[in-house]
Amino acid sequence: MADGSPRTDISTDADTDERNKRYQRGQLAGPAASDSSDRSKDPKDQKTLRRLAQNREAARKSRLRKKAYVQQLESSRLKLTQLEQELQRARQQGIFISSSGDQSHSTGGNGALAFDVEYSRWLEEQNRQINELRAAVNAHAGDSELRVIVDGVLAHYEDIFRLKANAAKNDVFHLLSGMWKTPAERCFLWLGGFRSSELLKLLSHQLEPLTEQQLSAIQNLQQSSQQAEDALSQGMEALQQSLAETLSSGSLGSSGSSGNVASYMGQMAMAMGKLGTLEGFIRQADNLRQQTLQQMHRILTTKQSARALLAIHDYFSRLRALSSLWLARPRE
């Protein structure tokens, strides 16, 4: 019994020391945990967390919008392809399905289709040339290299004027109607093409800075182009008025009399003769466009001419893109 008491005291002291150490460790850990908790409650940290959360949400919404936009573009592309296929089928039906064996309608339709095919090829080649010109401009190519490409682009414009001249002999109404153009391009169509004066207005803002001599020359070219366009427009109005008077004149007696038949045939012969002058209007309008491009090239430097041709191409490309988006727009 005497030996048990000292062991009990020793054990009790050891337990007490262990408890003291645990207490001290707890005291040291306590302030650290408290500091961590206090930091988590810091308003600055809360604001940072909220900002990060907002950024993640904004990024998520941006990804969703981008995905929806890509899907819309793909849908628009498919609709455009479908519309082009339907238009092609409609043109083929219009060519091969003629009433009462009307060979003239078939011939005219074939001429219009042939022109449309050639015009599509011309556009493809123009896109290739413009891409080459744009690459040379961006690479700061020298004047000699740029001049070769610019001359090639201008020569390519002469090709389309030759194609239109041949097409006007087969079906002048196809060129005047602008059915070979996109809807947005047809809004600005004048006698089967663009107005030279309006194009010069657009370019004058794209080619700055210009010297005083260049600016004066371009303004004079614009004025002369406007005067030529006005003269051609007045001629077209006079032709339309004359054609209307020719078709509305004559007797309205019994349709079976030989006199009325002769009068009718005379009216049609006169009207056909007047319609024959339409080809001349198209040719004069294209000559004006061609001369405007050539004179513009003479006024500008080689680098300015390159920029002008790029600006012209980009303008019409945007009109075609606008037409595609318009045709593919969602309809309620």
Side-chain angles (χ1 to χ4, degrees):
M1 294 296 293
D3 295 337
S5 180
R7 286 195 300 271
T8 302
D9 293 339
I10 294 171
S11 175
T12 301
D13 292 339
D15 293 341
T16 301
D17 292 340
E18 183 64 26
R19 284 196 298 272
N20 289 337
K21 291 179 181 178
R22 286 200 300 270
Y23 176 75
Q24 291 173 357
R25 287 195 298 270
Q27 286 291 88
L28 293 173
S34 177
D35 291 342
S36 176
S37 177
D38 291 341
R39 283 196 300 270
S40 66
K41 295 179 181 178
D42 190 340
K44 293 183 179 179
D45 291 341
Q46 293 294 328
K47 185 177 181 180
T48 300
L49 291 174
R50 285 196 300 270
R51 188 181 297 113
L52 290 174
Q54 291 172 356
N55 291 342
R56 286 194 295 269
E57 180 65 16
R60 185 184 69 84
K61 291 181 178 179
S62 177
R63 288 192 298 270
L64 291 176
R65 286 194 299 269
K66 182 178 180 181
K67 182 178 179 181
Y69 179 71
V70 171
Q71 290 176 347
Q72 182 180 3
L73 287 179
E74 180 65 19
S75 176
S76 299
R77 186 186 66 80
L78 293 175
K79 290 180 180 179
L80 177 60
T81 302
Q82 182 180 3
L83 287 171
E84 291 175 345
Q85 292 174 350
E86 291 176 357
L87 178 61
Q88 184 67 20
R89 286 196 297 269
R91 284 175 174 170
Q92 290 176 351
Q93 291 174 358
I95 293 168
F96 297 112
I97 302 176
S98 56
S99 58
S100 303
D102 189 353
Q103 297 300 320
S104 63
H105 174 79
S106 177
T107 302
N110 279 319
L113 178 60
F115 172 76
D116 290 352
V117 171
E118 291 297 327
Y119 177 67
S120 297
R121 293 173 180 169
W122 181 87
L123 274 181
E124 292 178 0
E125 176 61 20
Q126 188 195 43
N127 290 333
R128 186 195 66 77
Q129 292 183 351
I130 289 297
N131 289 336
E132 182 183 3
L133 178 61
R134 197 186 307 277
V137 170
N138 292 336
H140 305 288
D143 285 352
S144 58
E145 181 180 353
L146 279 178
R147 189 178 298 110
V148 173
I149 304 175
V150 167
D151 290 345
V153 175
L154 291 174
H156 191 58
Y157 271 105
E158 295 179 1
D159 291 340
I160 190 60
F161 295 136
R162 283 195 293 269
L163 287 173
K164 290 173 66 178
N166 293 331
K169 297 176 182 178
N170 294 321
D171 190 353
V172 68
F173 291 109
H174 183 66
L175 290 180
L176 284 174
S177 67
M179 292 307 295
W180 48 287
K181 291 280 191 179
T182 59
E185 288 178 294
R186 288 199 294 270
C187 289
F188 301 93
L189 200 68
W190 173 78
L191 290 181
F194 59 85
R195 285 182 177 268
S196 301
S197 60
E198 294 297 326
L199 203 61
L200 289 171
K201 287 181 184 179
L202 296 173
L203 290 177
S204 62
H205 301 292
Q206 298 283 339
L207 300 178
E208 296 176 349
L210 295 170
T211 65
E212 293 183 2
Q213 183 178 1
Q214 286 178 321
L215 189 59
S216 176
I218 288 180
Q219 288 175 349
N220 292 334
L221 179 59
Q222 180 183 339
Q223 291 176 359
S224 62
S225 298
Q226 181 70 62
Q227 293 172 357
E229 290 166 2
D230 291 343
L232 287 173
S233 296
Q234 292 172 6
M236 278 292 294
E237 291 177 2
L239 173 61
Q240 292 171 352
Q241 181 65 29
S242 176
L243 188 60
E245 291 174 356
T246 298
L247 293 176
S248 61
S249 64
S251 173
L252 296 178
S254 59
S255 59
S257 64
S258 59
N260 285 335
V261 171
S263 175
Y264 174 81
M265 295 302 296
Q267 281 181 319
M268 291 298 104
M270 290 179 60
M272 287 292 292
K274 292 178 179 180
L275 282 180
T277 61
L278 285 175
E279 182 183 340
F281 280 100
I282 291 290
R283 184 173 59 254
Q284 292 180 66
D286 276 345
N287 286 339
L288 176 60
R289 286 183 270 263
Q290 186 175 10
Q291 292 173 9
T292 301
L293 289 174
Q294 293 172 349
Q295 293 181 40
M296 179 195 71
H297 179 49
R298 296 189 190 100
I299 295 171
L300 302 175
T301 65
T302 302
K303 291 182 179 179
Q304 288 173 334
S305 294
R307 287 167 51 198
L309 291 173
L310 290 176
I312 294 172
H313 177 269
D314 290 345
Y315 172 71
F316 288 111
S317 293
R318 288 171 187 146
L319 281 179
R320 289 190 288 270
L322 178 62
S323 295
S324 299
L325 292 174
W326 174 255
L327 291 174
R329 73 191 187 280
R331 295 175 177 83
E332 297 181 358

